[in-house]
Amino acid sequence: MASVFTKIINGELPGRFVYRDEKVAAFLTIEPIAYGHTLIVPVEEVDRWTDMDPALWAECNAVAQKVGQAIVEAFGSERAGYLIAGFEVPHAHIHVFPANDMSGYSLANVMKMDETDPAQMDAAAEKIRAKLTEYGVNTGVDA
């Protein structure tokens, strides 16, 4: 059975993509720590990051770094938080989010899906895509 992330990647469920190529996808989480909270996901369905092919893991991290740089600039945060949890969806993923302190490192602090503002979510995705494009990154995503 396909994971929810595979369904998003395949277009079976909606997603706010900020980056996509044949191996890695990046899209906003539906329950963010802060607006701009992005998930970096391999297209290939792998449950645990420790089981991922090292080359694919490196590609995921390269995308996470670019997205993190875009998040810092787009949202004016001190840092880009980086977190691997992996219990909520059985498909390896990296959380990258605007961070000004350690509060973002607890997923207990997320905004619930029905508490987020869809317009702010759309704007956050656009800000990240715009920064990536400014850096010369082909996001592979039509806005």
Side-chain angles (χ1 to χ4, degrees), residues 117-140:
D117 177 349
Q120 286 190 56
M121 294 289 283
D122 291 341
E126 178 52 38
K127 284 181 177 182
I128 296 167
R129 280 192 302 270
K131 283 295 177 187
L132 289 169
T133 300
E134 192 177 302
Y135 301 154
V137 174
N138 178 359
T139 65

Side-chain angles (χ1 to χ4, degrees), residues 13-132:
L13 292 173
R16 289 179 175 93
F17 287 85
V18 300
Y19 178 88
R20 172 107 191 242
D21 66 24
E22 65 282 347
K23 294 184 180 182
V24 181
F27 48 85
L28 298 189
T29 181
I30 60 171
E31 292 191 329
I33 291 293
Y35 290 106
H37 183 163
T38 303
L39 303 176
I40 315 305
V41 182
V43 171
E44 175 187 349
E45 203 168 294
V46 179
D47 182 4
R48 298 181 303 192
W49 69 271
T50 52
D51 294 335
M52 202 180 304
D53 175 78
L56 180 56
W57 178 241
E59 289 186 47
C60 287
N61 276 280
V63 172
Q65 187 175 37
K66 290 174 190 169
V67 168
Q69 291 165 343
I71 284 173
V72 167
E73 282 199 39
F75 297 96
S77 58
E78 290 183 41
R79 300 195 185 277
Y82 177 108
L83 179 67
I84 301 169
F87 289 101
E88 58 281 353
V89 176
H91 190 144
H93 57 286
I94 302 167
H95 295 259
V96 180
F97 51 90
N100 293 310
D101 55 43
M102 291 299 293
S103 64
Y105 287 87
S106 172
L107 295 177
N109 297 329
V110 300
M111 290 180 258
K112 297 298 178 197
M113 184 173 57
D114 61 351
E115 297 170 354
T116 61
D117 177 349
Q120 286 190 56
M121 294 289 283
D122 291 341
E126 178 52 38
K127 284 181 177 182
I128 296 167
R129 280 192 302 270
K131 283 295 177 187
L132 289 169

